[in-house]
Each structure stands twice: as C-alpha cells, then as structure tokens.
Amino acid sequence: MGNVTIVDIANACGVSIKSVSRVLNNSPNVSDAMREKVMNTIKEQGYQVNMLARGLKGSRTNIIVVFAERHQEEHLSIWHTIMLKHLFTYAKKQSMKVVLSPSSSERFEEDETDGFYLIASGIADGAILLENIVEDARVDYFESHNIPYVVFGEPVNPEVPSVSLDNFDVGYRGGEYLAGKGFEKIVLFIGEKKFLSTYNRIEGFETAMKEYRKKYYVFSGIDTVEKAYRKAREVLDSHDAEAFFVSGDERALGVYRAIYEKRLTIPGDIAVLGIDNITLGNYYYPPISTIEQDFEILAKTCIDYVMNKIENPNCTDRKVFKFPCRVKERQST
C-alpha cells in the first residue's frame, strides 16, 4: 500500500476530512464512537501524521516545548514531574501538544539534543522555560525572533513574560511560621543562587528572621537530596539548630535522614518545614509541613499565555503573573 493520506482515512470511515482532523487534534467536540472508529482505521491502514508537513502547511504545529534546566543532569525532580503532569493534562484539553526537553540556559546552541532546535526550525510554536537563570540566552533568542514564550520563575527583567509564586512571600511565610511556633534558631536550605527566585526566598526569610529577632543560618546550593543530607549532618554537628526550612519537600527527605541518624526526633528535637507540597510528603514520617502551591493554576496560566501569544502575536495584555502561597501544617512542626 502506498502512503496513506487523511483523505483515505476519511473515505474509509465514511466521514469528513474535518472530522478526522478533529480526532487527530484531540478536539473535545468528538464523540467516543467517532474517535474509536477513526483511530482503529488509522491503525489498520498505517496512517502516520507528518507533524513537520502540517506545520509548514498551516504555519502552526500546536506544539509547545517545555524546557527543564539540566542542573548538571539532575534536572527532573518530583516538583518537575508534578508540574509537567499538569502542563500535559491542560495542554491536551486545549488540543496542544507538549514536548519536554532537558535544556541548558547557558550553552543551548552547542547541544543538538536540546529542544531549542524544534523552536529554531519552526517545528514548535512556542516555549515554556520551567526555570531561567539571571542571564538566560534563550530568552534573548525568543525576544529577538518573536517566539511566543513564558518563563516559570522570576526573571530580573520585568518585561520578560513570567508565571511564578511570589518567592519573597514563600521565604517570608516560612520564616514567619517557624518564628511563630517559638523556634529561636532556624536553618534555611536553598538551591542554586543563579536563579532570582533563590535570592527572593532568602530575602523573604531573612526579613522574617529580623522582624522576629531570631537567630538564623542560610546555606545555598542545596539542590539534591544527597546534598541536603550531607549538609544537615554538618549543621547538626556544628550548629544548635531547632528547625530546618528546606526549599523543596524532596530535599527535606535528606534532612529527615540526617536527623534520625543523630538519634533525634521530628519535631520533638528538630522541626522541619518544606516547600512544594508534593504528594510523597504526606507519607513521610512524620508527614511534612510545607509551603503549598497550586500546580494546576500555575500550569494553566503558562499554557494559556503562550497559546494567546501564538494566536495573537501583537497582544500586549498583562504578562507577569505572581501567585500567593500558604503554609500547610502537618506533624513535622
């Protein structure tokens, strides 16, 4: 059999080409019976969608590339997995396709495995940067080439479109909460300082500590569970800490282990507060108190903004979105 076309599929099903197209684009306006009939015919006849040809013909591929910062090849944390789940789910509802690409914010032009090439070659319509460093070369490229994009995070330049938690508020609320619980000596574990969100969380935390006149310590570069574990062991040996505030529930698991290895209890001897409210945190022992965020609304805002820019490239609507957070108290504090 020669190359099967969408016309062949429509004829075999006895439906219009438009109906087949709706099925291929995951349109919600398709009955289950129609979807099943078309998909079975596609499998039987071996029809394959040529995404590049579709993009060249219609100037749209309905593909958005989501870039995850590599973090020395430790780029996918549990937070990323949750965020991606919500991005994929919402994009599908909007008949959009999401492609995930590990990406370096510093050297993308030298790496042919980087999804940047989907953008540069016109195979994708837009991009979401799940993280961006203080000076991100990808942002410069998108701006100069009019590529629809949004940053998840807080860029230095207020003109860069972004969706984010209010990270100063994250740091402040965590510090305020622990201070209000009566802890006098509080340790903050935070990630890499190349992200503005890191600086903002530190600033918020330090502001709360000074307002409540608490003794505090800040350790940055704690971006993996192992680093959190090793640094927590050091801190427990050298500092009279009463509480840990850890930027990331996943990393807090390393702090839990260090505390238990010292034959201490949580929260009897040391309290622990995390950030993100990952599902796994509810199964820690004890379940971890955390700063929670609404993943669903964050993902929706990212997709909606990029889709709007794809469809309305000259739109000048609001492009900076900051969302509040709140403390979810469990047994670790």
Side-chain angles (χ1 to χ4, degrees), residues 197-319:
S197 59
T198 298
Y199 286 97
N200 289 341
R201 288 185 180 185
I202 292 174
E203 184 181 359
F205 172 74
E206 290 183 335
T207 298
M209 293 297 94
K210 291 170 184 176
E211 284 184 9
Y212 287 89
R213 299 182 180 179
K214 302 296 183 180
K215 189 172 184 179
Y216 66 94
Y217 311 93
V218 177
F219 298 93
S220 62
I222 313 299
D223 56 0
T224 67
V225 174
E226 181 179 0
K227 288 178 183 177
Y229 163 69
R230 295 188 182 282
K231 180 55 71 173
R233 284 186 60 90
E234 292 178 17
V235 170
L236 290 169
D237 285 336
S238 58
H239 297 70
D240 189 17
E242 297 178 4
F244 282 88
F245 181 21
V246 187
S247 185
D249 291 345
E250 184 175 357
R251 300 166 201 168
L253 188 59
V255 176
Y256 267 50
R257 175 176 170 178
I259 291 171
Y260 289 139
E261 286 185 352
K262 294 294 182 180
R263 299 184 183 277
L264 300 171
T265 63
I266 303 171
D269 297 307
I270 307 286
V272 182
L273 174 67
I275 298 175
D276 293 338
N277 191 26
I278 64 174
T279 304
L280 184 63
N282 201 34
Y283 296 91
Y284 288 8
Y285 184 77
I288 189 170
S289 297
T290 187
I291 306 290
E292 66 175 341
Q293 55 189 294
D294 190 331
F295 286 98
E296 185 174 354
I297 191 64
L298 291 167
K300 179 181 183 299
T301 305
C302 286
I303 295 290
D304 281 347
Y305 181 83
V306 175
M307 285 183 61
N308 185 50
K309 289 299 290 184
I310 292 170
E311 295 167 1
N312 306 285
N314 297 319
C315 177
T316 57
D317 288 350
R318 178 186 177 202
K319 60 182 181 181

